[in-house]
Every structure is written in structure tokens, then in C-alpha cells.
Amino acid sequence: NPVVGWSEGARPFTTGFIKRWNGSTWEMAAEPLPDLSSDPRLALNSLDEPVVLFSACTYYDHIIHNTRCGAADVYVKHWNSQSRVWEQLGNALDRTLNSYSQPGSIALDSFGQPVVSWQEDSRIYVKRWNATEGMWVDLGEAINPNSVDTYYSTNVMILDSRGNPVIVWNEPYVVRDSSQVYVKRWNEQSLSWESFGSVDTPLNIEVADYATRPSLALDSSDYPVVSWYEESRSTKKKKKIQVKRW
């Protein structure tokens, strides 16, 4: 049965919810997440308990008639169905607390331990939970090659058959109104992020096009298949969904 997570409310005064379909109706699968929480990303462990990656606003200000979140940190919590409480895994994931962070993706490895991605300011990071040490472990440095301070980039991450994350994302290009799609895999032996093909070469059909909304799947050999939406800069009416396989 499906389990879904979402946040509702007027930002930044949002709350995260998790519901499960029981065959005839939707019921709460866990207590609501803390106040000021938003954008939950959901995975289920072997007991069908939710493990959630989400952001929590740590500072908000008032601008005329608008209230906005000025800083947000990212957390992971696990719903303990026996004690019926949310249990937080470690501290906030952020490299710098009270920056502006947004959740990306969460996946559980074969041991049920989460691997998560998030965007912090203009950079994308990945961490793995080490249950033995009770701490988050960085998987390298920021994965995105450009350091343009601009809008939020979409990132989607899944784990291959060996538990190594593969991640696809889009980020701004140096040309105005352009965006590029990239994909990388974590190499556990070299402890580094590796590109498929030439280093930091985007998947775009045209480098200067506006490419966004990437999606990712792995075939039976753990090779990525990526789709994305691409809009031509030369003719704004030319919009296509592109798909590539490695």
C-alpha cells in the first residue's frame, strides 16, 4: 500500500505529514513532523516505518506583507512504531548551520541505513548514516562542478546494487537562462565522485539550452538511464523531453 509525505501551510509556517493507505482510507502513518518543517522526502525501512529527510526553518523575517524563511537546516528522522515517537538521526546535516538548505533525496541501503542528498546554498552534498558510530559521514565534497549562487537545483539520487549512490541534478550554466544536467556515481574504492564519460560534461543536447527536471533509473547492470526536460534558447517554443542511456 502507498505511503506519502507532504507539507502544508503558509510558508514558513508549514508542518510535514505522513499518511498510509490501508486499503479503504488514508490514515496517519506517524505523528506530524515538527512545526516549520517542509519538503519531506520519504523512504520505508524493512518494518515499513517512515524514514524522512526534511528541512526546518530556523529563521524567518517579515518583508512588507510577506513572511519568508531566511535560513533552514536539514534533518533525518525515523518513526519508531513501537514507542510511537520520531527519533532523530544525529544532528542537522548542514555543513554550515543556519545557511539555506533544501532536501534532495533519501534512499536506504541493504542494512536499512539512509543515504541522503541535499542542497546547501548553491552546492549539493551527500552523506551516509553510520549506525555503528551514530554519526553522518560525508561522501566527498560538493558534487556539482559550478559554484554559481542562484536558484535551487533539482537532484535525484538512487543506490546501485552495491549500495553506492548515483545522482543526477541540474544546475545553472554561465549563460543567462541556461541550465545543465549532470550525473555522477560515488566510487567507494577511490572515495570520490566519478562522472560517466568526460569529466563534468553535461547531458544536454545543446550545452546552452535550459535543461531541468531530471529523473533517474538504473538498468540491470547498474548503468544510468536519465530523462530531462530541455528548452531551446534559440527558439523558446521548442520544448522536448530527452532520454539518454549510458
Side-chain angles (χ1 to χ4, degrees):
N1 290 335
V3 180
V4 297
W6 77 97
S7 58
E8 64 180 66
R11 288 180 181 270
F13 306 106
T14 54
T15 301
F17 298 92
I18 311 293
K19 279 192 173 183
R20 183 191 309 271
W21 179 253
N22 66 11
S24 59
T25 187
W26 289 99
E27 60 184 15
M28 295 296 293
E31 292 296 318
L33 289 163
D35 290 342
L36 303 181
S37 60
S38 64
D39 302 320
R41 306 292 191 262
L42 174 67
L44 298 178
N45 65 15
S46 59
L47 299 176
D48 283 340
E49 296 172 330
V51 183
V52 182
L53 168 71
F54 65 96
S55 65
C57 185
T58 58
Y59 164 78
Y60 57 88
D61 53 20
H62 301 276
I63 301 177
I64 308 178
H65 300 294
N66 183 38
T67 302
R68 69 179 182 89
C69 181
D73 295 331
V74 176
Y75 299 87
V76 175
K77 289 194 174 186
H78 156 245
W79 175 251
N80 187 318
S81 58
Q82 297 300 314
S83 58
R84 297 196 59 79
V85 295
W86 285 106
E87 298 175 342
Q88 185 168 305
L89 300 186
N91 298 317
L93 280 74
D94 310 54
R95 294 294 188 93
T96 303
L97 292 177
N98 295 319
S99 56
Y100 192 80
S101 298
Q102 290 291 307
S105 296
I106 181 170
L108 304 184
D109 64 20
S110 58
F111 300 101
Q113 305 306 319
V115 181
V116 299
S117 66
W118 78 98
Q119 174 167 331
E120 187 170 332
D121 295 323
S122 61
R123 303 301 246 163
I124 298 171
Y125 299 95
V126 179
K127 284 187 178 183
R128 184 190 297 273
W129 177 249
N130 184 321
T132 303
E133 300 294 333
M135 60 183 294
W136 290 102
V137 178
D138 291 311
L139 298 189
E141 295 299 322
I143 66 169
N144 42 334
N146 300 322
S147 58
V148 180
D149 292 324
T150 185
Y151 62 85
Y152 175 69
S153 300
T154 301
N155 68 86
V156 179
M157 181 196 67
I158 56 180
L159 304 183
D160 65 18
S161 60
R162 295 169 294 180
N164 293 321
V166 181
I167 187 167
V168 63
W169 75 97
N170 73 278
E171 66 175 55
Y173 183 46
V174 292
V175 177
R176 180 181 173 85
D177 297 327
S178 297
S179 179
Q180 297 180 330
V181 172
Y182 299 88
V183 59
K184 284 186 177 180
R185 185 197 305 271
W186 176 251
N187 186 317
E188 191 63 32
Q189 280 67 49
S190 63
L191 299 179
S192 62
W193 289 99
E194 296 181 344
S195 300
F196 291 86
S198 301
V199 176
D200 295 337
T201 299
L203 276 67
N204 298 41
I205 303 302
E206 296 292 339
V207 171
D209 281 354
Y210 183 76
T212 187
R213 302 176 189 174
S215 184
L216 172 68
L218 300 181
D219 65 18
S220 58
S221 300
D222 280 338
Y223 293 133
V225 181
V226 180
S227 67
W228 70 95
Y229 170 91
E230 187 164 331
E231 179 179 330
S232 172
R233 292 187 69 249
S234 58
T235 58
K236 293 295 185 181
K237 294 182 179 180
K238 186 179 180 181
K239 305 175 183 178
K240 293 184 177 180
I241 297 175
Q242 307 290 350
V243 181
K244 282 188 176 180
R245 177 193 297 273
W246 177 253

